[in-house]
Amino acid sequence: MIALLDALLAQTPAADVSGPAQINLVQAIVLGIVQGLTEFLPISSSAHLKVVPIALGWGDPGVAYTAVIQLGSIVAVLWYFWKDLTNITVGAVEAVVRRDYKSQEFQMALGLVLGTIPIVFFGLLIKALVPDFDKSPLRSLGAIAIASIVMSLLLAIAEKIGKRNRTYEKLTVQDGILMGLAQAIALIPGCSRSGSTLTAGLFIGLERPAAARFSFLLGIPAITLAGLVELKGALGEGIGDAGVAALIVGTISALVFSYLSIAWLMKFLKTQNTWVFVWYRLAFGVAILTALAGGAVNNI
């Protein structure tokens, strides 16, 4: 965090870049690493994909590029949880055939479907009402900092008061809906999709590994839809400054590091709490606000 603050303070307002930046292959690899390491950790990939390149003097890569390389993350989570997805899908189909709508697999499948609706609805609403969301104040560094701090406090409260007495096998449709509503908050950069759903999972009494596991599964439709929509838009516009090679390299990089971060977090949460993420998010937000207050960067 000190290194990040130093990098931010090293930037000057004159060097600030407000539009999507041109991306070379080295930058694409780094951005893929950032995407992979932050997509599934509760610290916000969208925030880091904006802050890190600005801190390094590269400028903001833009919403389209960051959404496209998220496809690497979706391949990673499909790869890691393929057995879970297969069991849920097959079990849900068998439950429908038997009309056993109380089966665990059917309940989870329905929870995933219903839990995806809020972020799709609000995502489409934002698309309709804020056509230039890429340059919206909601994506400004100040907004990201505030969101990071607020979410760190919410995670701290959830960690403190959450009962953590329900396992993955005890998930219900209601859990899917509640975590889905929390996931929609992540449309605001800095909130973190995995962070908001993990926090919600702890609030409703899930064990940490169960909350994280369901959070990952719930993220599959949301991340996929966002990536495909932006990919279509990017291809239609000729991709722009990012370039096909940079998109491919960034996506592969994101895939590799997403898989590693998922595996690490699932193992970590079996024995550890989430306080390290609380303190990191708090420090991350404070570092950005400090840089903004000192005039080191513009609030873009």
Side-chain angles (χ1 to χ4, degrees):
M1 184 50 57
I2 294 176
L4 172 60
L5 179 57
D6 289 341
L8 282 168
L9 292 174
Q11 302 300 311
T12 63
D16 223 352
V17 180
S18 59
Q22 184 173 357
I23 300 168
N24 60 42
L25 294 184
V26 173
Q27 293 169 345
I29 293 173
V30 173
L31 291 175
I33 293 173
V34 173
Q35 161 65 25
L37 294 180
T38 60
E39 178 64 50
F40 298 106
L41 299 184
I43 57 177
S44 179
S45 61
S46 59
H48 285 76
L49 281 169
K50 178 163 185 175
V51 172
V52 170
I54 288 177
L56 295 174
W58 298 346
D60 181 4
V63 170
Y65 181 82
T66 57
V68 171
I69 66 172
Q70 284 179 347
L71 293 176
S73 295
I74 201 62
V75 172
V77 74
L78 285 171
W79 182 9
Y80 190 91
F81 289 105
W82 186 253
K83 184 177 180 180
D84 295 68
L85 291 168
T86 301
N87 290 339
I88 292 172
T89 303
V90 173
V93 172
E94 292 177 347
V96 171
V97 172
R98 299 192 310 268
R99 296 185 179 181
D100 179 16
Y101 302 119
K102 292 184 178 180
S103 79
Q104 180 64 25
E105 291 80 7
F106 180 81
Q107 292 283 306
M108 289 190 64
L110 184 58
L112 290 172
V113 172
L114 295 179
T116 301
I117 293 175
I119 196 168
V120 172
F121 172 78
F122 288 109
L124 292 173
L125 192 63
I126 288 175
K127 277 282 187 181
L129 300 180
V130 191
D132 199 14
F133 184 67
D134 200 351
K135 299 179 181 178
S136 165
L138 289 175
R139 292 196 76 244
S140 68
L141 291 178
I144 286 173
I146 293 172
S148 184
I149 292 171
V150 170
M151 292 306 297
S152 74
L153 297 177
L154 288 176
L155 181 57
I157 295 172
E159 184 65 53
K160 270 287 187 181
I161 70 174
K163 295 182 179 179
R164 299 188 294 279
N165 57 3
R166 290 197 295 132
T167 63
Y168 178 78
E169 289 71 26
K170 294 182 179 180
L171 281 162
T172 66
V173 174
Q174 183 179 359
D175 295 327
I177 294 172
L178 292 174
M179 290 180 71
L181 289 170
Q183 180 175 245
I185 299 173
L187 289 167
I188 302 174
C191 287
S192 171
R193 191 207 59 78
S194 58
S196 61
T197 49
L198 177 59
T199 299
L202 294 178
F203 269 124
I204 60 181
L206 295 178
E207 293 180 345
R208 298 185 190 96
R213 191 173 172 186
F214 192 74
S215 168
F216 293 152
L217 294 174
L218 186 61
I220 292 175
I223 302 172
T224 302
L225 288 172
L228 291 177
V229 168
E230 295 298 346
L231 177 61
K232 179 181 177 182
L235 291 174
E237 297 172 5
I239 305 216
D241 290 336
V244 176
L247 279 174
I248 294 174
V249 169
T251 302
I252 293 174
S253 178
L255 189 163
V256 173
F257 285 91
S258 289
Y259 189 92
L260 293 175
S261 68
I262 293 170
W264 177 83
L265 185 62
M266 291 302 298
K267 182 178 181 180
F268 178 82
L269 291 178
K270 289 180 180 179
T271 58
Q272 303 295 323
N273 58 42
T274 63
W275 282 102
V276 62
F277 304 114
V278 171
W279 293 117
Y280 176 84
R281 299 203 66 175
L282 183 62
F284 183 72
V286 170
I288 296 173
L289 291 180
T290 301
L292 289 170
V297 291
N298 289 334
N299 189 29
I300 59 171

